[in-house]
């Protein structure tokens, strides 16, 4: 006579190979310690089925479960990212006030950083652009000036010096762009350097 | 048996979380079907266990990429076919140019394959196993025999068998198990002999 535990596991295996095992019974089956016994019972039940159908063959006798089990003992499993995040979140569950605080703090921090960057960009662009910038753009493309972002301590003197240097650099670029072919991006817009790559 | 996919998916998710025993259950459930499928491709039956083993090991390694868009068996079927084809190529043989449908592979007469390639000793043992199981089935109580025949011969679900036999599903489950257990008592010593002989050959 089989022990009750063995019998119970065999009964679950019988239901499992018929897809009739309930979801909550899967855990109980997984807790069975006797893997080898489980493998051989399942194989024999498959053989019974094939024999009743008159389909018994050598392939019915193939039982690689023990070999696969042994081979996989050496394997490390790289869980997918989705599962890792699930595991991580379930491991690091926080409750109560801290969880509530964290749920608000994260988006607020991100938003604060974004607002700071945007404010800084607007301020610097306004400082760098001369009042008549739009008029210059419209009147002469040779005097075209690109609004430039410079993030450092600003002073009136520095700004004036920088403005002058940029104007000189613009002139230099415009004058030395005559060798660039006009049908290329560089010829049309001498300030731009484009980088591209091909995907094979 | 609508729970097949959900139980398989639950097992897959457990494997993805590092539970190797859950993969054992998937191997137990599908190794016979995969063996028959692989045997359809290979000309040498002694290669089948190696290819089946490779199939499951490859499946395990690829499981992090399995998202459950298809059924687990459909997914492992493709791995099995590719592993069998690669095996044929590595053995210097041409793989079948046509694709094989899952159902065609499962309906393939395994007994024909056995007749063509089995040794006389193996064939005799398989015949003996078949005869003993037939006898064990004929000696089963009527309710157990009816339940196991409806399941194995007709492929009915437990729900359908319960309706046919006018009894609860739990009773069907118990009857099928008791039938298998009774047949298994005759089968186990024969299989020991069979595996011993196969080991000798």
């Amino acid at each position: 006579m089989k022990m009750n535990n063995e019998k119970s596991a065999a009964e679950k295996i019988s239901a499992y190979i018929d897809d009739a095992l309930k979801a909550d019974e899967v855990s109980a089956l997984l807790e069975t310690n006797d893997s080898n016994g489980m493998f051989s019972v399942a194989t024999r039940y498959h053989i019974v089925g094939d024999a009743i159908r008159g389909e018994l063959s050598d392939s019915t006798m193939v039982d690689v479960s023990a070999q696969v089990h042994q081979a996989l003992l050496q394997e490390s499993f790289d869980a997918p990212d989705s599962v890792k995040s699930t595991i991580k979140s379930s491991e690091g569950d926080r409750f109560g006030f801290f969880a509530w605080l964290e749920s608000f703090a994260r988006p607020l921090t991100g938003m604060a950083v974004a607002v700071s960057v945007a404010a800084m960009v607007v301020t610097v662009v306004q400082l760098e652009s001369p009042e008549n910038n739009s008029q210059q753009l419209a009147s002469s493309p040779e005097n075209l000036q690109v609004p430039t972002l410079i993030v450092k301590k600003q002073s009136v003197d520095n700004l004036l010096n920088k403005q002058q240097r940029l104007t000189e650099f613009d002139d230099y670029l415009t004058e030395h762009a005559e060798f660039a072919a006009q049908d290329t991006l560089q010829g049309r817009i001498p300030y731009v350097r484009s980088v591209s790559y091909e995907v094979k | 048996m609508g729970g097949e996919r959900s139980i398989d998916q639950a097992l897959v998710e457990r494997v993805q979380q590092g539970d190797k025993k859950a993969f054992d259950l998937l191997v137990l459930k599908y190794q016979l079907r995969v063996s028959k499928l692989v045997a359809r491709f290979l000309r040498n039956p002694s290669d089948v266990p190696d290819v089946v083993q490779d199939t499951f090991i490859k499946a395990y390694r690829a499981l992090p990429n399995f998202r459950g868009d298809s059924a687990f068996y459909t997914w492992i079927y493709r791995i099995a076919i590719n592993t069998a084809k690669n095996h044929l190529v590595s053995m210097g043989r041409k793989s079948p140019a046509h694709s094989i449908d899952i159902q065609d592979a499962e309906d393939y007469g395994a007994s024909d394959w056995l007749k063509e390639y089995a040794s006389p000793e193996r064939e005799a043992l398989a015949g003996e196993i078949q005869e003993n199981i037939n006898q064990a089935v004929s000696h089963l109580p009527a309710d157990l025999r009816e339940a196991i025949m409806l399941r194995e011969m007709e492929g009915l679900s437990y729900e359908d068998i319960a309706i046919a036999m006018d009894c609860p599903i739990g009773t069907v489950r118990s009857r099928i198990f008791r039938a298998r257990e009774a047949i298994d008592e005759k089968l186990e010593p024969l299989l020991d002999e069979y595996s011993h002989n196969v080991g000798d050959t």
Side-chain angles (χ1 to χ4, degrees):
Chain A
M1 281 296 282
K2 288 176 180 170
M3 299 289 287
N4 280 342
N5 287 348
E6 282 180 40
K7 203 164 184 173
S8 170
E11 199 267 345
K12 286 186 177 68
I13 288 169
S14 170
Y16 173 67
I17 62 174
D18 289 338
D19 303 323
L21 195 66
K22 292 170 189 163
D24 56 344
E25 291 176 303
V26 174
S27 298
L29 194 53
L30 287 170
E31 285 164 12
T32 307
N33 290 323
D34 183 15
S35 295
N36 288 333
M38 201 165 75
F39 297 152
S40 55
V41 166
T43 304
R44 291 201 301 272
Y45 288 174
H46 280 308
I47 290 170
V48 168
D50 266 13
I52 288 173
R53 288 187 295 273
E55 294 175 354
L56 198 62
S57 72
D58 268 8
S59 58
T60 311
M61 312 294 180
V62 171
D63 180 10
V64 297
S65 49
Q67 289 92 322
V68 171
H69 178 81
Q70 282 299 319
L72 296 185
L73 286 177
Q74 316 299 326
E75 296 264 338
S76 63
F77 192 86
D78 188 21
D81 291 341
S82 57
V83 175
K84 278 179 186 167
S85 62
T86 309
I87 295 168
K88 200 176 175 183
S89 65
S90 64
E91 283 173 353
D93 275 350
R94 292 187 177 85
F95 300 98
F97 175 73
F98 291 107
W100 176 83
L101 187 65
E102 191 178 46
S103 68
F104 278 93
R106 278 190 184 170
L108 280 178
T109 308
M111 196 182 293
V113 170
V115 168
S116 305
V117 171
M120 192 166 65
V121 167
V122 169
T123 307
V124 171
V125 168
Q126 282 178 344
L127 285 170
E128 289 293 315
S129 303
E131 286 177 5
N132 59 350
N133 196 18
S134 57
Q135 290 173 357
Q136 284 182 358
L137 283 173
S139 61
S140 169
E142 288 176 359
N143 294 327
L144 190 65
Q145 291 184 5
V146 178
T148 309
L149 299 181
I150 301 166
V151 183
K152 64 179 188 179
K153 189 180 176 186
Q154 306 282 339
S155 70
V156 176
D157 289 343
N158 277 347
L159 271 175
L160 288 173
N161 288 338
K162 194 167 277 103
Q163 196 63 45
Q164 191 177 355
R165 285 204 302 275
L166 283 172
T167 307
E168 287 170 0
F169 185 62
D170 280 345
D171 291 343
Y172 175 85
L173 273 179
T174 308
E175 284 170 14
H176 290 79
E178 70 266 27
F179 299 113
Q182 290 302 303
D183 59 348
T184 64
L185 187 65
Q186 192 181 336
R188 288 179 188 150
I189 314 172
Y191 311 97
V192 174
R193 293 292 182 272
S194 63
V195 177
S196 64
Y197 65 93
E198 287 182 1
V199 178
K200 290 185 180 178
Chain B
M1 292 185 282
E4 174 179 4
R5 188 163 176 180
S6 62
I7 286 188
D8 284 357
Q9 187 58 31
L11 288 170
V12 164
E13 284 168 10
R14 290 187 76 133
V15 179
Q16 287 176 334
Q17 290 170 15
D19 186 347
K20 288 182 180 176
K21 266 193 152 186
F23 194 73
D24 289 342
L25 283 185
L26 290 167
V27 176
L28 283 184
K29 190 170 177 182
Y30 290 113
Q31 65 171 340
L32 177 62
R33 289 161 80 175
V34 170
S35 299
K36 287 181 176 176
L37 180 67
V38 166
R40 177 78 175 87
F41 273 82
L42 306 182
R43 302 300 292 172
N44 184 357
S46 63
D47 292 344
V48 173
D50 288 342
V51 174
V52 173
Q53 187 176 334
D54 280 355
T55 298
F56 281 108
I57 290 172
K58 282 180 185 172
Y60 180 81
R61 289 173 182 159
L63 259 182
N65 302 321
F66 179 70
R67 292 172 301 177
D69 296 337
S70 60
F72 177 76
Y73 181 63
T74 312
W75 181 73
I76 204 166
Y77 159 85
R78 286 196 293 267
I79 296 175
I81 296 293
N82 287 333
T83 308
K85 283 181 176 175
N86 289 342
H87 178 80
L88 287 176
V89 170
S90 70
M91 301 297 285
R93 293 173 189 158
K94 196 176 174 186
S95 62
H98 60 284
S99 63
I100 298 172
D101 186 59
I102 297 178
Q103 199 57 48
D104 290 346
E106 291 190 344
D107 291 345
Y108 177 73
S111 54
D112 296 339
W113 173 76
L114 182 69
K115 282 174 196 162
E116 197 172 348
Y117 298 106
S119 67
E121 293 82 9
R122 284 187 176 194
E123 204 170 345
L125 268 171
E128 195 178 349
I129 289 169
Q130 179 77 59
E131 194 181 320
N132 273 274
I133 289 178
N134 289 345
Q135 275 187 9
V137 170
S138 66
H139 286 103
L140 287 173
D143 54 347
L144 304 193
R145 188 168 64 246
E146 188 180 354
I148 192 81
M149 294 301 275
L150 287 173
R151 173 66 204 150
E152 298 293 6
M153 290 296 288
E154 306 299 328
L156 295 188
S157 67
Y158 283 18
E159 288 85 351
D160 291 341
I161 296 171
I163 293 167
M165 296 184 74
D166 193 22
C167 65
I169 291 174
T171 306
V172 170
R173 177 170 156 165
S174 170
R175 284 176 181 172
I176 289 173
F177 167 63
R178 280 157 51 209
R180 281 177 175 150
E181 193 183 34
I183 299 167
D184 189 36
E185 282 180 15
K186 309 279 182 191
L187 178 64
E188 203 172 354
L190 280 173
L191 278 180
D192 287 343
E193 185 187 350
Y194 179 87
S195 57
H196 180 72
N197 284 358
V198 167
D200 287 349
T201 55

